[in-house]
Amino acid sequence: KVDIPVLTEKDINDVQNFCCKNKMDYVAASFVQTGADVQFIRKTLDEAGGEDIQIICKIENEEGMKNF
């Protein structure tokens, strides 16, 4: 298990103030390990109007594979 947040404060700012405002089609997240990680990304996008942005989850370790 990697003990880092799926989104840092900078990531949240970038997602909400760049991706959402520029109507990106996709956002990719590294080291996604659980469904809760994906739900947090979705909530972060939705709060900034990014309901249509698709999430690409980069599963990069055994913890992510166990929870696939």
Side-chain angles (χ1 to χ4, degrees):
K1 180 171 170 98
V2 178
D3 193 23
I4 57 173
V6 70
L7 294 178
T8 65
E9 289 299 319
K10 182 184 181 318
D11 295 331
I12 292 168
N13 182 58
D14 290 346
V15 163
Q16 292 183 328
N17 294 308
F18 183 81
C19 295
C20 293
K21 288 190 172 149
N22 290 291
K23 302 185 188 308
M24 297 286 156
D25 293 322
Y26 297 93
V27 65
S30 295
F31 294 104
V32 175
Q33 299 179 79
T34 66
D37 289 346
V38 180
Q39 291 170 343
F40 177 68
I41 298 166
R42 176 83 275 146
K43 179 177 175 260
T44 302
L45 289 165
D46 290 353
E47 287 174 353
E51 295 88 354
D52 294 331
I53 298 175
Q54 301 295 304
I55 302 167
I56 298 170
C57 297
K58 295 168 60 183
I59 299 170
E60 302 179 80
N61 60 24
E62 188 175 337
E63 189 73 19
M65 284 302 298
K66 284 195 307 188
N67 294 314
F68 184 72

